[in-house]
Amino acid sequence: MKKLQKGTYGYLNQNKKRAWLKAFLMLLGPFILLIAGWAVNGTRLNVVTVIAVVLCLPGCNQIVHAIVSSRYHSIDRTLYEETEEARGACPALYENVLTSYEETYYIDCLVVSGRDVAGYTSDPKTDANRAGEHVKKTLKANSYKQNVKIFTEKKAFLERVSVIAGHTPEEVPFKGDDRYPGLSRDEIIQSLITAISL
């Protein structure tokens, strides 16, 4: 199975499965080592047990990652299809779990067009205004001024996406960024948002 990139449809479900599989495999090795040491020495009180316990630490860390990944799931297929239809040629990011020092925000979709970023969250625990401010501050800290609006109603979000996809984006002066050679302004905005996403 091909690994999906952040911001693509189905990423969160695949990431969850991969995290649990990785945790299982990382703990399987130390468990086999423990059983083998016990079988060879006739007791668990040996140096192999100590080595097996120490080797469990990365696996335990991976279990924490898997538990965090399990909290989130991929978006509904109909939302994906409706957004794809409404966005036209505008770039979109799906299944975004944005992190800040204070909170974590789940945003189902983000669509970028010129100076506009429109997003939708179905998570009742996500404060749409704070999520929008977090995205705006992150982009501004990287010298990209954007109008960011996160919606909690799907219909309003799809209408906004249709509007920004239907008109020519505002002509924004852009010279190129040495940190992101060869990328357009919208692609850089996508990269910056992806960087703060799990």
Side-chain angles (χ1 to χ4, degrees):
M1 177 188 335
K2 183 182 173 188
K3 183 178 179 183
L4 298 174
Q5 297 298 314
K6 283 185 196 180
T8 56
Y9 173 72
Y11 169 76
L12 287 178
N13 283 348
Q14 185 188 69
N15 188 44
K16 188 185 330 182
K17 290 176 189 171
R18 291 173 79 92
W20 281 110
L21 178 62
K22 191 174 177 182
F24 172 75
L25 293 175
M26 289 176 84
L27 290 173
L28 183 62
F31 179 74
I32 291 172
L33 184 64
L34 175 70
I35 297 301
W38 199 341
V40 169
N41 295 316
T43 179
R44 64 180 171 77
L45 304 174
N46 58 57
V47 73
V48 176
T49 301
V50 174
I51 293 169
V53 169
V54 170
L55 289 176
C56 282
L57 295 176
C60 293
N61 186 33
Q62 183 60 34
I63 285 179
V64 171
H65 178 71
I67 290 169
V68 170
S69 298
S70 295
R71 182 173 173 215
Y72 304 101
H73 55 83
S74 290
I75 64 172
D76 186 44
R77 179 83 183 168
T78 56
L79 174 61
Y80 169 72
E81 290 169 354
E82 290 170 342
T83 306
E84 282 293 298
E85 184 180 324
R87 76 179 178 95
C90 297
L93 291 168
Y94 297 98
E95 304 174 11
N96 306 283
V97 181
L98 306 179
T99 56
S100 72
Y101 291 114
E102 301 85 28
E103 291 182 64
T104 301
Y105 309 103
Y106 179 66
I107 302 174
D108 299 60
C109 317
L110 283 166
V111 176
V112 180
S113 177
R115 285 201 192 271
D116 294 314
V117 176
Y120 168 70
T121 180
S122 61
D123 184 8
K125 295 178 185 173
T126 297
D127 183 337
N129 293 329
R130 290 182 65 155
E133 282 302 311
H134 177 59
V135 172
K136 194 174 187 175
K137 282 180 189 174
T138 301
L139 296 174
K140 190 174 182 180
N142 286 280
S143 304
Y144 293 96
K145 187 175 179 185
Q146 295 291 116
N147 302 316
V148 180
K149 174 69 174 158
I150 308 297
F151 295 88
T152 54
E153 293 180 19
K154 184 168 82 167
K155 184 179 177 185
F157 165 70
L158 292 171
E159 287 173 359
R160 179 66 182 146
V161 169
S162 295
V163 167
I164 64 175
H167 65 72
T168 306
E170 177 188 340
E171 190 63 38
V172 181
F174 179 66
K175 296 178 188 174
D177 195 327
D178 294 336
R179 298 171 294 175
Y180 303 95
L183 295 183
S184 69
R185 189 176 191 283
D186 287 352
E187 290 170 332
I188 293 172
I189 299 299
Q190 281 185 286
S191 295
L192 291 171
I193 294 171
T194 302
I196 60 170
S197 183
L198 291 179

